[in-house]
Amino acid sequence: MYDESHVIGASWVLQDISGLKKAEEDLTRARDELERRVQERTADLEASNRQKDRIVEELRRANEAKDEFLGLLSHELRTSMMLIYGGIKAVRRMSGRINEQEAVSLLEDVEQETDTVYRMIEDLLNLARLELGEQLTTEPVLVQHVIRRFARSFGESRPEREIVVDVSDELAAALAEPTYVEQVLRNLVSNVEKYAPPESPIELRAAMNGGAEIIISVLDRGPGIPEEERDAVFERFYRSSQIPKRVRGMGMGLTVCRRLVEAQRGRIWLAPREEGGLEVSFTLPVARDGSGN
Ligand SMILES: Nc1ncnc2c1ncn2[C@@H]1O[C@H](COP(=O)(O)OP(=O)(O)OP(=O)(O)O)[C@@H](O)[C@H]1O
Ligand SMILES: [Mg+2]
């Protein structure tokens, strides 16, 4: 038979056990929580390590690209300077021994090479300005004037090369940066000179595309660009494997063209021509007030 003190003792023991159970549960919960936090922190650390590895890899690639670029650039500049220096020296040293025609031809080479260096420097400066996020100042531009001016100055320095201009009389003014438009033309025409046969004509066209934009195209009768390379040629330093190694270049011209066109809110693309050759076109938005210079 139990007496009262027995009952009270048992209830104490029960209370004790349930207290212990609760403490144990609390402990388990706390341990689970700790484990969960450790797992979370480990996952965070792993993620930030992966991100760090990615950044290190990106920096390594950017550094490699920069080295490759500086190598290419110095090679191109040195080659151009040697040709310019050599040409001028030859004319000066041999002035008594070569006829006027030979001297003119040497000076034409010097002029062409100076043009190449000029285009290269402009490309580099424009690219650097755009990458630094420089704000563009656009104005209403009569593209037909820019194209005709460009064709005239091209004709003066390369009288032997046929350049055909076909611009619509109905062109509205574009909202653009005139020096950028000219730089795009200079790059595209320099490609035609390098990659299409010298006796084939260079065509420059401009027409309205609906009411909101103008399409400007440079067309040639060269080898064209295979479909699988039509995106890649807009990448920095990309040069097609189809072109002969002796044709010099840094693979930068089309990259710069795309940046300059997009900075002016336009698009640029390549298309094959029906009877052979390449058509490179870009758009410029129409200026709203319609006036231009
Ligand atoms: N009109 C064209 N006809 C055929 N291939 C072309 C033409 N224009 C460009 N390409 C191809 O696209 C590549 C990239 O052209 P891009 O103008 O960017 O560089 P590049 O002419 O090689 O060098 P640069 O930096 O001096 O312009 C060229 O190397 C060439 O393979
Ligand atoms: Mg080029």
Side-chain angles (χ1 to χ4, degrees):
M1 226 183 122
Y2 294 118
D3 62 15
E4 204 167 303
S5 65
H6 243 107
V7 174
I8 293 169
S11 105
W12 268 108
V13 169
L14 276 177
Q15 267 183 21
D16 251 23
I17 290 176
S18 71
L20 262 175
K21 267 211 137 136
K22 188 169 172 315
E24 199 183 320
E25 276 167 19
D26 286 350
L27 209 66
T28 312
R29 247 199 311 278
R31 199 199 54 208
D32 288 351
E33 174 62 17
L34 200 69
E35 224 164 66
R36 194 184 57 78
R37 283 206 209 154
V38 168
Q39 273 172 5
E40 248 177 43
R41 291 289 300 137
T42 314
D44 283 353
L45 273 174
E46 278 171 2
S48 76
N49 265 344
R50 273 197 301 274
Q51 197 180 2
K52 192 197 77 200
D53 288 349
R54 233 188 347 260
I55 292 171
V56 168
E57 180 58 20
E58 273 170 24
L59 285 174
R60 197 186 58 75
R61 277 210 219 115
N63 203 35
E64 259 179 32
K66 188 203 71 200
D67 286 348
E68 184 194 359
F69 169 68
L70 285 178
L72 266 172
L73 180 65
S74 352
H75 172 75
E76 282 298 304
L77 282 176
R78 197 182 311 120
T79 311
S80 290
M81 288 323 289
M82 265 165 47
L83 290 170
I84 293 170
Y85 182 59
I88 292 175
K89 216 157 98 176
V91 173
R92 198 169 62 80
R93 291 238 174 110
M94 302 192 296
S95 58
R97 280 172 284 148
I98 54 174
N99 63 35
E100 197 185 324
Q101 208 181 348
E102 284 165 330
V104 166
S105 149
L106 274 168
L107 286 177
E108 270 170 10
D109 290 348
V110 168
E111 187 182 353
Q112 195 154 339
E113 214 45 50
T114 313
D115 226 45
T116 303
V117 177
Y118 177 67
R119 183 180 62 82
M120 221 153 74
I121 293 172
E122 282 295 302
D123 275 354
L124 289 171
L125 289 178
N126 283 325
L127 211 55
R129 279 192 210 118
L130 288 178
E131 274 177 8
L132 284 174
E134 192 194 64
Q135 224 31 52
L136 193 65
T137 46
T138 49
E139 55 186 272
V141 176
L142 291 176
V143 167
Q144 55 273 48
H145 288 185
V146 181
I147 293 179
R148 291 211 176 96
R149 200 165 49 227
F150 176 83
R152 213 169 27 246
S153 101
F154 180 87
E156 279 164 13
S157 60
R158 314 264 202 293
E160 72 294 347
R161 187 80 197 230
E162 188 184 353
I163 185 155
V164 183
V165 175
D166 174 11
V167 290
S168 151
D169 292 330
E170 310 288 302
L171 280 193
L175 189 65
E177 217 287 27
T179 61
Y180 279 11
V181 180
E182 204 179 319
Q183 182 68 4
V184 174
L185 289 175
R186 195 175 290 132
N187 268 312
L188 298 181
V189 168
S190 114
N191 281 348
V192 180
E193 282 189 280
K194 286 202 284 191
Y195 306 116
E199 66 284 359
S200 64
I202 303 172
E203 289 176 57
L204 304 180
R205 291 185 193 162
M208 294 297 294
N209 185 31
E213 61 182 17
I214 296 164
I215 296 192
I216 301 157
S217 310
V218 176
L219 303 97
D220 68 50
R221 288 289 178 204
I225 297 181
E227 192 172 355
E228 60 277 14
E229 288 189 299
R230 272 180 222 146
D231 286 329
V233 287
F234 285 104
E235 300 294 324
R236 232 186 248 230
F237 314 140
Y238 186 91
R239 304 199 75 210
S240 167
S241 51
Q242 318 266 325
I243 53 157
K245 280 270 173 292
R246 65 182 159 73
V247 185
R248 289 167 43 220
M250 292 205 296
M252 244 186 40
L254 288 176
T255 310
V256 172
C257 287
R258 183 159 71 178
R259 298 271 178 95
L260 295 181
V261 168
E262 288 177 355
Q264 297 170 103
R265 300 182 188 282
R267 296 166 283 123
I268 183 165
W269 67 93
L270 311 171
R273 293 181 77 186
E274 248 173 36
E275 280 162 32
L278 188 70
E279 173 170 352
V280 189
S281 304
F282 62 99
T283 61
L284 291 172
V286 162
R288 291 205 181 278
D289 75 354
S291 59
N293 60 17

